[in-house]
Each structure stands twice: as C-alpha cells, then as structure tokens.
Amino acid sequence: MSESTNTPSLLDITVAIPTYNGANRLPQVLERLQAQTIAADIRWEILVVDNNSQDNTAEVIQQHQTQWPSKIPLRYCFELRQGAAFARQLAIREAQGALVGFLDDDNLPEPNWVAEAVAFSRQYPKAGAFSGRIYGDYETDPPEGFEKIKAFLAIRDHGPQVMPFAPLDLRLPPAASLVVRKQAWLEHVPEEPTLTGKLPGLFIQGDDYEPMIYLHKANWDILYNPHLITHHQIPKQRFEKAYLLTLAKGCGLATYQLKCIKVTPQEAMMVFMRTVGGSLRRLIMHGLKYRQRIWHELEPGMLWAFYWGSFLSPFVKIKRKNS
C-alpha cells in the first residue's frame, strides 16, 4: 500500500446515498446535507444511487435538483441490479471525489459530518476506510434487552478515542456511515461482490464488510472516528421479533464467506473446520446457559440465531457454489 495511490480528483468528497424506495426518507437526509457547516475550500457533491426503486424516488430527486444550490452538485444515477453492494459499486465508479462517504437513506448526519470526514482523512492518510458513532433514533421504545444487541441494527459507539477495527475477527463498521478512499477501493475491491445484500428469499448480510476486508488485506487501515456522528432512524417494525431474528441469522450466514476472502484452498478448509466447530461450541454453551430463555427473550434469541447462521454459513457457501 502506498499513500501515492490516490490520483488527483476534481472534488474532495462525494457523499453517496444508496437508496431503495427511499422517496419518503431522502428529503430529510438531503436537508441535513444542505445544512452542513463546511469550509469554503472543501469541494464536494451529493450522489443519490437509486437501487431499482419502485416508488417515485427519481421524481423526488428531480424536484430537489430544481431548487438545489449550484455550489453543491446533487446528482442521480440508477442501478438496475438489486442489492446494496451493486449500488455502492456504482457510487464508487460515478463519484468525482477522492473520498466517498456513504450514508444510508435513513441515516442523518451531524452538521459537521462532511467537514469531519475530510479532516480525518487528511490526518490519517493510511486509513482506507473509517466510520464513526451511529446513534439510534427510535420511533418507539426499544424492546427489553435491545441495548446488548443494538449493533445488529448498525447502532455503534466505541467510545471517545480513535481506534482500529479488527477485520480478521469481523469486527468492522457498517456501511450506514462509512467513508472510503475511492482509489484504494478501485485498486483492491473486485467489481463483482460475493455478498450483494438483502434480497427476496436471500437474507445474507455482510455485503458492507466484504470491501473492508479487501482493503485491510491490501494494508490499508480501517479506523473508528468518534467525531463522525450520524443518527439512524429506526421505525417500530424493525423491533418486531421475527425481523430481528432473521437479521441476526443473516449476519451469521455471512461468516464463512467473509473469512474466506483472499485465502488459499488449504486455508479455506481450515476456516471451514473452525467456523463449524466454533459455532457448534457456541451453540452448545449458549443453549446450556439460557435454555428455554432462547425462545422467549430477545437477547439470547438473537445470539442463538446468529450462532446458528454462522454454523450454517459454510454449507450455504457450498450450496450457492454448486447451484
């Protein structure tokens, strides 16, 4: 890895918003971005990536473009292939910034988000990607036990200090509020992702982690910046038990695929054995500890679903490869 890999770019940062049926959510995100406090010498743009929406997302963006300040370009592009990973790949290709700052369409940035992203990238030139604090903004009170499993909904707070993530242990930031160096991504992340994101009938997570592992293995740092703050809007339906259990299992189902990124066939066999053995051990220990509580309480139930998904992940990999 070399710091000189970043080629000259017209802009400092592109704020990319992948969205699916986000017509009702996007205006609030755009309002927060329009209110950013940014030094005059920072050049930036906003890029909305419509991931095959079936609502009037395109019309909403067109309406905003007619009254948008000319000094901040607001661009729109369309990705037909369903899956957040495809939307992010298009954002990287279309971005005119040296940095690409991803925001989900339900994630609202603090007024200094853009300025902080640019400043942090200059302070830490070896950071190929970084994320920050993501607070939850709940439509209704979270269920009992939610505090211990809130990370499944991309709510993160790792404290007041800058720190590195641990990609090989799959301790990584979500893409809901993530800044990456465009050139590093282009050089090291394959155009065709293994994990594409949630799809009908295929609820496997990990699509936001996959690029981070490629960057890490190319010797780029993946860092946590506590001053980069957003607020994740959580509607009440995301607190439904069935959804949360499916989400936790989907996170587990990505375990083997993520651990097998850029490994040899011999190493993949070792990962297979460790994933199956380690997940089975955790399932047994978890079952002995919580017993019937697994089926009635949220925290032990979600952890059980995650361990079960992790146990199944090598077999899902084999099934998909041979199908």
Side-chain angles (χ1 to χ4, degrees):
M1 186 273 293
S2 171
E3 296 171 24
S4 64
T5 55
N6 279 315
T7 56
S9 180
L10 178 63
L11 304 175
D12 295 295
I13 183 171
T14 295
V15 178
I17 312 171
T19 184
Y20 173 71
N21 289 347
N24 293 328
R25 298 183 296 273
L26 283 166
Q28 194 173 6
V29 183
L30 294 176
E31 180 182 337
R32 291 294 185 96
L33 289 173
Q34 193 171 359
Q36 290 288 297
T37 303
I38 304 176
D41 63 340
I42 292 182
R43 301 159 300 166
W44 67 296
E45 66 171 352
I46 301 167
L47 176 65
V48 176
V49 184
D50 185 345
N51 192 198
N52 197 27
S53 296
Q54 305 303 304
D55 64 358
N56 62 328
T57 290
E59 289 80 4
V60 168
I61 298 306
Q62 289 171 3
Q63 182 180 3
H64 277 77
Q65 286 173 326
T66 62
Q67 49 193 329
W68 199 258
S70 58
K71 63 179 181 179
I72 311 170
L74 173 60
R75 299 166 52 213
Y76 170 94
C77 58
F78 185 86
E79 174 55 68
L80 178 63
R81 295 175 297 175
Q82 203 79 57
F86 294 125
R88 292 187 204 107
Q89 285 285 13
L90 180 59
I92 290 290
R93 294 195 301 270
E94 291 288 328
Q96 296 179 8
L99 301 173
V100 180
F102 288 105
L103 285 174
D104 282 358
D105 63 15
D106 57 2
N107 212 32
L108 306 180
E110 287 280 291
N112 68 336
W113 194 85
V114 173
E116 179 63 34
V118 174
F120 190 84
S121 73
R122 293 170 178 171
Q123 185 178 0
Y124 295 90
K126 293 183 179 180
F130 54 90
S131 184
R133 300 188 187 194
I134 305 177
Y135 296 130
D137 189 352
Y138 309 124
E139 183 181 10
T140 188
D141 291 337
E144 185 178 356
F146 178 74
E147 190 66 22
K148 294 184 179 180
I149 46 85
K150 63 184 180 182
F152 284 108
L153 284 176
I155 299 168
R156 309 290 176 89
D157 185 349
H158 301 292
Q161 303 298 324
V162 174
M163 67 168 216
F165 287 97
L168 298 184
D169 295 328
L170 303 187
R171 291 198 290 271
L172 284 162
S177 172
L178 179 72
V179 183
V180 302
R181 295 188 190 273
K182 175 178 176 175
Q183 194 62 30
W185 182 302
L186 288 174
E187 290 180 358
H188 302 295
V189 178
E191 292 186 10
E192 288 298 319
T194 300
L195 299 165
T196 59
K198 298 185 292 290
L199 297 172
L202 185 64
F203 206 98
I204 300 179
Q205 303 285 91
D207 52 289
D208 45 358
Y209 285 9
E210 183 178 352
M212 300 300 96
I213 295 176
Y214 281 109
L215 292 178
H216 172 74
K217 291 195 172 185
N219 295 321
W220 286 95
D221 293 334
I222 314 297
L223 299 180
Y224 164 74
N225 173 10
H227 305 295
L228 193 72
I229 299 172
T230 57
H231 301 264
H232 192 186
Q233 311 298 290
I234 307 293
K236 59 183 179 181
Q237 57 265 31
R238 291 198 184 180
F239 289 146
E240 294 176 0
K241 186 175 181 180
Y243 173 82
L244 289 171
L245 292 176
T246 301
L247 177 65
K249 181 181 177 182
C251 292
L253 286 172
T255 301
Y256 179 70
Q257 290 89 330
L258 291 171
K259 287 184 175 291
C260 279
I261 290 176
K262 294 191 72 173
V263 300
T264 66
Q266 294 79 8
E267 290 170 332
M269 180 54 66
M270 292 298 298
V271 173
F272 179 97
M273 296 171 62
R274 289 172 181 169
T275 301
V276 171
S279 299
L280 184 59
R281 178 182 59 82
R282 284 191 291 270
L283 281 168
I284 293 172
M285 297 299 293
H286 197 69
L288 291 174
K289 180 178 180 179
Y290 290 101
R291 301 184 183 275
Q292 293 302 313
R293 293 170 58 191
I294 291 171
W295 317 116
H296 304 293
E297 298 179 18
L298 183 61
E299 180 196 350
M302 286 191 69
L303 290 176
W304 175 271
F306 175 76
Y307 298 149
W308 177 241
S310 181
F311 174 77
L312 293 176
S313 64
F315 307 104
V316 172
K317 170 82 171 183
I318 293 171
K319 180 180 178 180
R320 292 179 68 194
K321 182 177 181 180
N322 294 334
S323 60

